[in-house]
Amino acid sequence: MRFDVLTIFPEMFSGYFGESIIKRAQEKKLLKIQVHDLRKWATDKHHKVDDKPYGGGPGMVFKIEPIYRALNGLKIKVERLKLRDKDTRVILTSARGKQFTAADARRLAKYKRVVIICGRYEGVDERVAEHLADEEISIGPYVLTGGELPAMVMIDSISRQVPGVPGKLE
Ligand code: SAM
C-alpha cells in the first residue's frame, strides 16, 4: 500500500515513520510512505502556499493551486472526481471532518493508494474539500495546529490493517 502526504513540514514524519513496525513494513515493501513538501508546487520565488481566504474571513488558508498541481504531479485525477482511479483515495485532514474510527482504518486499507493533505494556519481553501478531496477526516473533537499528527495517526492505524504489517494477523 502506498501513502502520499502533502505537508509544509515533511521533516516531522521521518522520526515516527523511521522506527518500529512502520519502519519494518517499509523495509519489507509492504508500505511505501512518500512525504512531499507542498512548497515544491508553489510558483513564486518565496514558495508561498497560503493566502487570504477566497470567500473572506480571518487568517490565512492554503491556496487551492499548489494542492491542485501537487495532485496532478502525483498523477492523481483532479479534473473530475468521478473519474478518479477507484484504487486511490484523497483525504483532507480537517477538524470539522467525519471522525476517524477503526472502521475507517479497515475501509481505507482496501485502497492501493491513500493521499493525505495536511492543512495549517486557518485551514485549507474550501474548494479543496469541494473539488479535490474524496473525504474530510478529523481524528477527534479538538483543533490541532496542523494535519501532520492526524496524517501520522491515520497512516499508523490504516497500516495495521495491511496484511503482514503487524506481524501476526490475529
Ligand atoms: N480554522 C479551522 C477550524 O476552525 O476548523 C482550524 C484549522 S487548524 C488550526 C489547521 C489544520 O489542522 C486544519 O486545516 C487541519 O488540516 C488540521 N487539523 C486540526 N485539527 C484537526 C483534527 N481534529 N483532525 C484532523 N485535522 C485537524
Side-chain angles (χ1 to χ4, degrees):
M1 178 169 191
R2 171 173 173 168
F3 293 96
D4 288 278
V5 180
L6 293 177
T7 172
I8 57 167
F9 296 115
E11 293 81 17
M12 286 185 178
F13 292 82
S14 49
Y16 194 76
F17 292 144
E19 300 287 347
S20 188
I21 290 177
I22 305 287
K23 178 188 179 194
R24 286 197 292 279
Q26 292 174 90
E27 287 168 351
K28 285 198 246 164
K29 309 240 181 289
L30 295 168
L31 301 179
K32 184 169 187 177
I33 305 174
Q34 303 266 281
V35 181
H36 310 275
D37 188 345
L38 186 60
R39 293 190 194 280
K40 209 170 97 186
W41 286 281
T43 49
D44 67 305
K45 67 174 178 178
H46 301 294
H47 305 290
K48 197 166 146 38
V49 293
D50 61 317
D51 203 352
K52 292 191 182 116
Y54 181 72
M60 303 294 267
V61 294
F62 277 0
K63 299 192 276 192
I64 187 172
E65 293 86 350
I67 296 173
Y68 177 90
R69 281 193 291 270
L71 294 176
N72 241 327
L74 296 172
K75 308 254 179 298
I76 290 157
K77 192 77 117 192
V78 282
E79 299 301 343
R80 299 183 42 198
L81 277 184
K82 283 197 185 116
L83 295 182
R84 182 164 289 161
D85 180 351
K86 60 178 176 16
D87 290 332
T88 298
R89 200 75 174 156
V90 177
I91 295 170
L92 174 64
T93 56
S94 164
R96 66 158 192 215
K98 178 193 171 289
Q99 201 160 312
F100 186 73
T101 63
D104 290 309
R106 287 192 292 275
R107 175 176 65 82
L108 291 165
K110 296 197 175 101
Y111 289 91
K112 284 199 179 124
R113 190 176 187 191
V114 168
V115 181
I116 304 182
I117 304 166
C118 305
R120 278 268 151 185
Y121 316 125
E122 278 311 311
V124 178
D125 185 314
E126 196 54 39
R127 294 171 293 174
V128 172
E130 251 175 70
H131 302 295
L132 301 183
D134 295 304
E135 53 190 294
E136 276 182 277
I137 297 188
S138 160
I139 60 156
Y142 39 78
V143 182
L144 299 161
T145 54
E148 287 75 15
L149 283 172
M152 286 185 228
V153 167
M154 287 190 274
I155 292 172
D156 187 297
S157 176
I158 296 166
S159 296
R160 282 180 51 79
Q161 302 298 326
V162 174
V165 172
K168 293 197 175 89
L169 199 59
E170 61 276 16

